[in-house]
Amino acid sequence: MDDKVARAERTLSLLTTTFLANTEAVKANMSLVLDTVLSQNLFAYIDATGVSVETAKRYTSAVQKWQARINSLVTGKTSETRMAGVLLVKHTALQSPQLLSENVSKWTTSLLGVLGKAEVMPVLIATLQTLLAFIDAVRDVPMLYREIISAQVPRMNQAILAMVDKNPDLMSQVLEVLDRSATWFPTLFRPSIDKAEALCLRLLDGSDMRSSPELCEQAARCLAALSLAGGKITAEERWFQCAQQAMGTIQQCIDHIMCTGSDAGEPTQQFALPLLADDFAVSIPQAADRISSMTEVLIALLTQPTTVDIPVPVDGILNIASRLAMVPVRAGSSKNARSEYDLIPLLTPQIQRASIRIMAVLAISLGSHMQP
């Protein structure tokens, strides 16, 4: 055992004093240092038994110097050093639960500081991924819940929502973190629900459906996670309200496409989205894209795991799916001579695909409850 610990001590000392000695060394050797950390379990001997006192002292000193060096890199003067610090902090923590437990508060604070500054995109992405890894690692550790989860998760949510407007290219990573945070810590997420919901809806008005469909799916999943966070109303009520708003928005789009008003008894709740264009040649495709976005929301709601019993509005969902399927039929039999109706056959596959997907997901999520 002494030989293994001594070898780990020498490796850590070499990495710290030579390969990470200064900014130029970090830039030149980062790949080598990271490969070494990933391929060798250098932190496996903390509090190891069967090791001589002298070897244990040298190893402990080497680990402490390593921690001090990577901590300084996180707050370094160049983006290269900060990137190195974030990555090395992450992999050090993932390899050693003890070091994570001892340092997670300080590391999390440092990483949140990175998010609050002007930074290059790779560093911000690495920081978000590292924060997510930390929160995932400690969320089931009761002794760290108050110190880390209760104290840092609300700060993390607010910091991420504050930075996204300045860094729109980070939207995918931001949605992933918000989705996980709302799912894992719904009570702690409540102060950020309104801002997060507004962010999701900004992507679900239909304007991004064709250019960024994956991003729209992420936004829909995040919105579904928010629906279970509760708040002023219960999680069940919030989920039901979100489903009603999605169906109401779809119905509003159907009415716009068909140039009709809603029938009595139709869902009246809709999401607060921008108005469709005045020009029907523009607004009819917009409405079809918004239907696709709202379909993603319904699918996300129906497939989101829950810890409470949810009253699913089956009749309403079936009604919306049926109305979507009938749009091309109604357009074909309409006596309306408006030239914009010529657009509807072009949009038929998109609209009917939405209907089929809603029906399929409803059948899968309800299982045997759909049988007569």
Side-chain angles (χ1 to χ4, degrees):
M1 177 66 77
D2 253 27
D3 291 342
K4 292 181 179 179
V5 177
R7 189 181 305 116
E9 178 267 321
R10 289 194 299 271
T11 303
L12 280 172
S13 297
L14 181 64
L15 294 178
T16 304
T17 60
T18 303
F19 294 104
L20 297 176
N22 51 52
T23 300
E24 293 303 317
V26 171
K27 290 171 65 175
N29 302 305
M30 182 55 207
S31 296
L32 173 62
V33 174
L34 194 57
D35 287 344
T36 303
V37 171
L38 290 172
S39 61
Q40 301 185 37
N41 199 355
L42 299 174
F43 310 103
Y45 309 106
I46 299 173
D47 293 336
T49 58
V51 182
S52 67
V53 174
E54 187 61 30
T55 301
K57 282 184 177 180
R58 289 200 304 271
Y59 177 71
T60 301
S61 176
V63 171
Q64 290 172 346
K65 290 177 181 177
W66 169 266
Q67 290 176 251
R69 184 57 183 144
I70 63 175
N71 288 344
S72 68
L73 290 176
V74 174
T75 57
K77 294 181 180 180
T78 68
S79 58
E80 291 87 357
T81 56
R82 292 191 293 273
M83 183 71 167
V86 171
L87 291 175
L88 292 174
V89 160
K90 175 183 178 180
H91 292 292
T92 298
L94 293 179
Q95 282 198 14
S96 173
Q98 183 171 335
L99 289 180
L100 173 62
S101 175
E102 293 172 357
N103 295 278
V104 66
S105 181
K106 180 178 181 179
W107 284 343
T108 303
T109 300
S110 297
L111 293 172
L112 289 175
V114 173
L115 294 183
K117 300 175 182 177
E119 189 55 89
V120 297
M121 199 64 58
V123 175
L124 292 175
I125 292 174
T127 302
L128 287 172
Q129 292 172 342
T130 303
L131 281 169
L132 191 59
F134 282 2
I135 300 302
D136 189 15
V138 304
R139 64 190 173 103
D140 294 323
V141 183
M143 61 182 291
L144 294 176
Y145 195 91
R146 176 178 296 180
E147 179 186 2
I148 305 304
I149 302 303
S150 297
Q152 301 288 16
V153 166
R155 288 186 59 209
M156 180 188 74
N157 295 335
Q158 292 168 7
I160 290 172
L161 287 167
M163 65 174 281
V164 71
D165 286 333
K166 301 175 183 177
N167 303 276
D169 291 340
L170 283 173
M171 189 66 74
S172 178
Q173 288 79 15
V174 166
L175 288 172
E176 180 183 6
V177 177
L178 294 177
D179 184 354
R180 301 285 184 86
S181 180
T183 300
W184 293 339
F185 316 109
T187 303
L188 296 176
F189 201 93
R190 288 174 185 172
S192 301
I193 281 182
D194 291 340
K195 288 185 178 180
E197 184 177 282
L199 176 66
C200 293
L201 290 177
R202 202 165 76 198
L203 296 168
L204 291 168
D205 66 355
S207 59
D208 295 298
M209 194 63 214
R210 294 181 185 272
S211 59
S212 305
E214 296 86 1
L215 205 58
C216 291
E217 290 178 21
Q218 270 191 290
R221 289 196 297 271
C222 185
L223 188 64
L226 296 178
S227 72
L228 294 173
K232 295 179 181 178
I233 57 178
T234 66
E236 298 95 318
E237 291 171 329
R238 193 175 182 88
W239 188 99
F240 189 84
Q241 181 185 72
C242 190
Q244 289 292 109
Q245 288 174 315
M247 289 188 289
T249 303
I250 290 175
Q251 183 59 56
Q252 186 182 48
C253 292
I254 293 173
D255 294 337
H256 182 85
I257 291 173
M258 301 307 302
C259 302
T260 61
S262 293
D263 297 330
E266 293 298 327
T268 57
Q269 298 183 63
Q270 297 105 27
F271 286 117
L273 299 175
L275 296 175
L276 298 170
D278 293 331
D279 184 351
F280 272 83
V282 176
S283 65
I284 288 179
Q286 281 182 340
D289 290 341
R290 188 167 291 184
I291 286 171
S292 296
S293 292
M294 290 298 107
T295 297
E296 295 299 339
V297 173
L298 281 177
I299 289 172
L301 288 168
L302 290 168
T303 55
Q304 175 78 10
T306 67
T307 57
V308 294
D309 293 331
I310 298 293
V312 179
V314 177
D315 290 345
I317 295 175
L318 289 173
N319 185 37
I320 283 294
S322 299
R323 288 178 178 273
L324 283 172
M326 291 299 294
V327 166
V329 177
R330 289 174 60 193
S333 60
S334 174
K335 297 180 180 179
N336 195 321
R338 298 185 65 158
S339 59
E340 293 87 352
Y341 266 41
D342 293 339
L343 290 168
I344 296 179
L346 302 177
L347 299 170
T348 293
Q350 179 182 358
I351 295 171
Q352 291 193 326
R353 189 184 305 119
S355 173
I356 292 169
R357 292 185 67 210
I358 291 171
M359 290 288 291
V361 172
L362 181 64
I364 292 170
S365 63
L366 294 183
S368 59
H369 294 290
M370 286 286 284
Q371 296 177 358

